[in-house]
Amino acid sequence: MTEHEVVEFIKENEVKMVDLKFCDLLGTWQHFVVPISEVSADSFKEGFGFDGSSIRGWQSIELSDMLVMPDSNTAVIDPFMETKTLSLICNIKDPVSGKFYDKDPRFIAQKAETYLKTTGIADTAYFGPEAEFFIFDDIRFDQSANSGYYFIDSEEGVWNSGKDEMPNLGHKPRHKEGYFPVSPIDSQTDIRSEMVTELQNVGIRIEAAHHEVATAGQAEIDMRFAPLTVMGDNFLWYKYIIKNVAKRYDKTVTFMPKPLFGDNGSGMHVHQSLWTKGQPLFGGNEYAGLSQLALYYTGGILKHAKALCAITNATTNSYKRLVPGFEAPVNFVYSSRNRSAAVRIPMYSASPKTKRLEYRTPDPSANGYLAFAAMLLAGLDGIINKIDPGKPVDKDIFTLTKRELKNISVAPGSLEEALDNLAKDHKFLLQGGVFTEDVIQTWIERKMENDVQPVRMRPVPYEFALYYDV
């Protein structure tokens, strides 16, 4: 919609409030609401003021005044507000310089798309994330000087097989057996269907929804691929809608990568491809039906994969999932069909239009705008510098010997290690001014101070089982 069409839509649909949404550096949607009396076509050019110093990783207090600039193309009715409310996704602008803000993740995504066009390689980058999540019935956690614990519960949790539920009807998926029996083992079809309906109501095309591998309500809903920034917007809607539909059912959703011990974590396999003038560029006559351009793109992803982890696997908990020898794709190789490789080439169809790469290492803790932009820049670096991805690995990597694994690069073992790799390898992110040195350094410093150091300083319950009697 144009700005004037939004104003008319507000009148015709008796909208009462406008919700202005924007994304902070770490990937959380922030918002504030204004009444329609404060909204006109000029609002899209003038913006609305807010305190940027209160947003994580942004302005210092003496430079706090910022503007949100609504994007009229993002206008939809918010499905969770009792008062009829129009949602608008915004970019951030500095009111003094008049420039868009370099630490605004949405602006970073838009700059990545602009840079892609300037390379002449392609005009569109499509992304399709498969973000997994858990639907729990109860979560409690706390940390103090003399205690620390978490407690998760789920009606589907196999640990409740012996619980007196008056009556306990059984049919709880065992560990690693949630993919994907019908009901009554799968008890969450209806809640997932409502999530799909609400996602469709805001304009997001959904391809499938299903139970995932783990016990205790692990799920996945697959969005149809979309251009980079649009998918960044969609990913935030995805998290927002899934969490709020769960709340309607008195349930809680987490996108935490590894909330359960002894069962699968939640990943986010990201399908990606390049197109120009409506034509796909990844189909060809090379390995697995790929083009040479797609192989170079793969080379860029694999070369920069350790640095990418600091953005695509952005929590300390991410590395509870990325453990060698288990099912998470920690080995930085590529393969067709093989789900144990970090980069997989799906083989469902031979059509060039369906040719794509699936990068399997990321998880849904990521900020979608930053993660998709970073992956694109890594892939473009591979194309520009003709980076050879090496030979594919078509064996089950989990069965390889130590000798065979010796020359295969693996994911960092911790967020700190990933951040160290980002500090050493981020020039590819600076191309086209997409990321800036300030953004990279802010990201590293904040993650060290607010994630790595606090977790490093705190004992965890299992350490008492290991060491209390030393």
Side-chain angles (χ1 to χ4, degrees), residues 165-176:
E165 296 179 332
M166 298 183 293
N168 187 326
L169 301 179
H171 301 301
K172 302 180 191 300
R174 290 179 284 270
H175 289 294
K176 301 183 183 296

Side-chain angles (χ1 to χ4, degrees), residues 133-191:
F133 54 94
F134 280 89
I135 305 171
F136 292 138
D137 290 284
D138 189 43
I139 174 66
R140 288 176 280 130
F141 52 89
D142 199 6
Q143 177 75 56
S144 63
N146 67 319
S147 69
Y149 75 94
Y150 67 89
F151 181 84
I152 295 167
D153 206 4
S154 166
E155 293 175 357
E156 278 199 357
V158 67
W159 56 80
N160 282 323
S161 295
K163 182 180 179 181
D164 184 3
E165 296 179 332
M166 298 183 293
N168 187 326
L169 301 179
H171 301 301
K172 302 180 191 300
R174 290 179 284 270
H175 289 294
K176 301 183 183 296
E177 293 187 20
Y179 189 91
F180 29 46
V182 298
S183 63
I185 295 176
D186 179 2
S187 67
Q188 297 180 342
T189 302
D190 286 337
I191 187 172

Side-chain angles (χ1 to χ4, degrees), residues 437-464:
E437 282 284 357
D438 185 35
V439 169
I440 299 296
Q441 294 310 314
T442 299
W443 182 265
I444 291 171
E445 290 169 8
R446 184 162 187 94
K447 284 291 176 180
M448 284 297 299
E449 292 173 6
N450 291 273
D451 295 60
V452 173
Q453 292 285 31
V455 170
R456 176 187 282 162
M457 293 166 62
R458 286 164 170 79
V460 299
Y462 193 60
E463 288 178 308
F464 287 85

